[in-house]
Amino acid sequence: MALISIDHVSRIFGDSNRKTGIVALDDVSIDVGRGEFICLLGPSGCGKSTLLNLIAGFDEPSQGTVRVGGQVIRRPGADRGVVFQQPTLMPWLPVWENVAFYLKMQGIGKAIRREKAQRFIEMVGLQGFENHFPSELSGGMNQRVGIARALLMNPEVILMDEPFGALDEQTKMDMHGELIRIWRESQSTIVFVTHGIDESLALGTHVAVMSARPGRIRELIPIDLDRPRDPTSTAFNDYKRHILSLLRPEPVKDWA
Amino acid sequence: MMSFPSLLVAIYKRIERGIVPILLIAGWETFSRSGILPPALLPAPSQVVVAWADWVFGTDGNTQSYSGRWIFDSAASAFRVFSGFLLAMLLGVTIGMAIGWSRTVEALIEPVLQILRPVPPVSWIPLAIIWFGIADKPAIFLVFMGSFFPVLLSAIHGVKGCDRDLLRAGAMTGGTTVKLLCHIVFPAALPSIFSGLRIAIGSAWMLTVTAEMVAVKSGVGYVLWDSYYFLRYDIVIASMISIGLLGFLSDFVIKRIAAHVLRWQRGSTLQTKGG
Ligand SMILES: Nc1ncnc2c1ncn2[C@@H]1O[C@H](COP(=O)(O)OP(=O)(O)OP(=O)(O)O)[C@@H](O)[C@H]1O
Ligand SMILES: [Mg+2]
């Protein structure tokens, strides 16, 4: 049985100013199995974040149901770790306190929190910055703090919303490798939002290609490539060509 | 070696901020001594200093019953300011957070507060005297009335401005409502609360002095009003400056505490030194 199952979900945002509704998601159904790494790929505004927020429990669908482990999602929970599109750190807490925020919410003492945070700080390569405040770090470093915070909860599902958008290519590739290693070791299930075709092909066991207005899933593509993945290989580029053809606006397809 | 012009510039930079105050005081001294006004109406700065020195240190007894009592008068006023301010801070932050967080609480309490808010704090003086008599209590009550609303409004504002995504991050880590309030909403509201506290401490001093002028028989405000009856304008001016100094000092303390508590803002705001 699928770990995450999204069943005929629509999300319509009311717009009181214009007396209309924005259909962010239109009848989306998708199943994610345990241990899968699914990339949600699509243009800006196609509803990727909206879908992720529904799984996270930050938002409720207008129609349909979202289940994780058979339970209908109604609120956020520590079984689903979220890495936000913006770093979303507590600006008044130093790096290590942010990483260990989950433990603080569980009422765990300072010494243990400090100790447990260290492993994850090292995992994202931020040793030496433990006592810095978010305002003293770069955007990419903050994003890594957010990743460490989600990983420390050891969640069943990790939801990531364009987490590497603020990183340079080099760091991004390092983080990809790191993320794949973490995903394998922790045997978690990852839903990863991106608008980069290469990124989705470098990471995912599946790529769900979405289209905008209304937000729909055009195709769910299982990616059968060996790791580490070689972005110059023929197979990689075949997938890329296929995805590009899906993302191309529809009139072009009709004309072809 | 510094060249002569640049030395002049360096000296000028040193004294730049002092020039106008010194000119003003010198002008005032000259004007008072010129005899255009009867000297009693506008005592010269030197006369104020003599009166003040006696009030503070009991030097020559020229201030009579006040001689050497400055510290007690200041302490009496400071105690009232502190008590009323503390009360306003505790209640203002608590109620403000409740209003900012819960629409129900907002709907229940807000209308009453909106009616009370425009009532000038000093207009409570008659009721304060009837209810609390003539002692510390009416003054503390007035201070409270004056500093409660700035704290309350800043707390509401701070809570409402709390980033929704921070609360989502908190909920994601499994935080309960109470924990989210303590560990996210409150710290997020602190910058706003501190700016409210700084406004509040200003009105706290204002109202202590007002209360002491009419309803209390001690404190710097009382000395001010009492010396006015005795035509001792030098003591009046010394009281005014004392109040200014005490107010400045309390604001300075709050500023320093804010700079420490909000040190995480360094590097993210325009003003780098906690201001
Ligand atoms: N809270 C909201 N209220 C109203 N409309 C919203 C809200 N959130 C999203 N939308 C609308 O829903 C659509 C999808 O938004 P969403 O944030 O999911 O896009 P996205 O795919 O994540 O885009 P991006 O790649 O730019 O982050 C957009 O048209 C947006 O205007
Ligand atoms: Mg998005």
Side-chain angles (χ1 to χ4, degrees), chain A residues 73-93:
Chain A
I73 296 302
R74 297 196 193 286
R75 61 182 69 84
D79 57 326
R80 283 153 285 140
V82 181
V83 180
F84 295 81
Q85 194 162 1
Q86 304 297 323
T88 320
L89 305 174
M90 313 304 155
W92 52 88
L93 293 179

Side-chain angles (χ1 to χ4, degrees), chain B residues 87-154:
Chain B
L87 210 62
M89 185 167 84
L90 293 178
L91 278 175
V93 170
T94 319
I95 299 177
M97 284 189 62
I99 292 178
W101 179 256
S102 151
R103 270 180 217 286
T104 316
V105 177
E106 181 174 11
L108 288 175
I109 301 184
E110 180 97 275
V112 180
L113 295 174
Q114 290 303 352
I115 294 168
L116 289 180
R117 194 165 75 95
V119 178
V122 284
S123 65
W124 287 92
I125 289 180
L127 291 182
I129 296 177
I130 299 170
W131 292 340
F132 299 111
I134 295 200
D136 280 339
K137 280 186 213 148
I140 294 173
F141 173 76
L142 279 183
V143 170
F144 171 79
M145 290 313 284
S147 38
F148 174 71
F149 285 101
V151 179
L152 179 89
L153 293 181
S154 69

Side-chain angles (χ1 to χ4, degrees), chain A residues 11 13 49-50 52-54 56-60 76-77 80 82 84 88 90 101 149 161, chain B residues 162-175 180 184:
Chain A
R11 180 68 176 96
F13 288 107
S49 298
T50 305
L52 206 75
N53 284 340
L54 292 176
F58 297 145
D59 193 10
E60 283 183 37
R80 283 153 285 140
V82 181
F84 295 81
T88 320
M90 313 304 155
F101 197 77
R149 172 177 67 186
D161 195 347
Chain B
C162 178
D163 184 358
R164 180 192 64 177
D165 278 347
L166 287 185
L167 287 169
R168 286 179 163 182
M172 179 263 291
T173 55
L180 296 187
I184 298 179

Side-chain angles (χ1 to χ4, degrees), chain B residues 23 56 66 69 86 116 159 168 206 237:
Chain B
L23 284 180
V56 177
Y66 301 135
R69 305 280 311 164
L86 197 71
L116 289 180
V159 170
R168 286 179 163 182
M206 216 154 71
I237 293 172

Side-chain angles (χ1 to χ4, degrees), chain B residues 28 72 107 120 147 176 219:
Chain B
W28 172 13
F72 301 102
S147 38
T176 57

Side-chain angles (χ1 to χ4, degrees), chain A residues 13-14 22-24 42-51 85 161-162 193 195 213, chain B residues 164:
Chain A
F13 288 107
I22 297 169
V23 184
S44 182
C46 72
K48 306 181 294 289
S49 298
T50 305
L51 185 54
Q85 194 162 1
D161 195 347
E162 294 184 43
V193 166
H195 52 235
R213 269 167 280 270
Chain B
R164 180 192 64 177

Side-chain angles (χ1 to χ4, degrees), chain B residues 34-110:
Chain B
S34 69
I36 296 172
L37 279 178
L41 289 192
L42 186 64
S46 51
Q47 203 187 332
V48 172
V49 169
V50 170
W52 203 4
D54 182 58
W55 185 17
V56 177
F57 302 112
T59 43
D60 60 1
N62 78 68
T63 57
Q64 297 167 10
S65 62
Y66 301 135
S67 180
R69 305 280 311 164
W70 184 85
I71 191 72
F72 301 102
D73 292 320
S74 301
S77 300
F79 167 74
R80 290 166 197 141
V81 165
F82 183 74
S83 312
F85 180 76
L86 197 71
L87 210 62
M89 185 167 84
L90 293 178
L91 278 175
V93 170
T94 319
I95 299 177
M97 284 189 62
I99 292 178
W101 179 256
S102 151
R103 270 180 217 286
T104 316
V105 177
E106 181 174 11
L108 288 175
I109 301 184
E110 180 97 275

Side-chain angles (χ1 to χ4, degrees), chain A residues 2-59:
Chain A
L3 178 62
I4 304 172
S5 79
I6 290 158
D7 193 21
H8 296 288
V9 163
S10 299
R11 180 68 176 96
I12 298 153
F13 288 107
D15 187 336
S16 50
N17 291 335
R18 298 181 198 83
K19 302 251 185 273
T20 53
I22 297 169
V23 184
L25 291 174
D26 181 33
D27 195 26
V28 169
S29 294
I30 187 172
D31 281 350
V32 183
R34 194 175 294 275
E36 285 182 358
F37 191 133
I38 183 164
C39 291
L40 297 179
L41 176 70
S44 182
C46 72
K48 306 181 294 289
S49 298
T50 305
L51 185 54
L52 206 75
N53 284 340
L54 292 176
I55 305 174
F58 297 145
D59 193 10

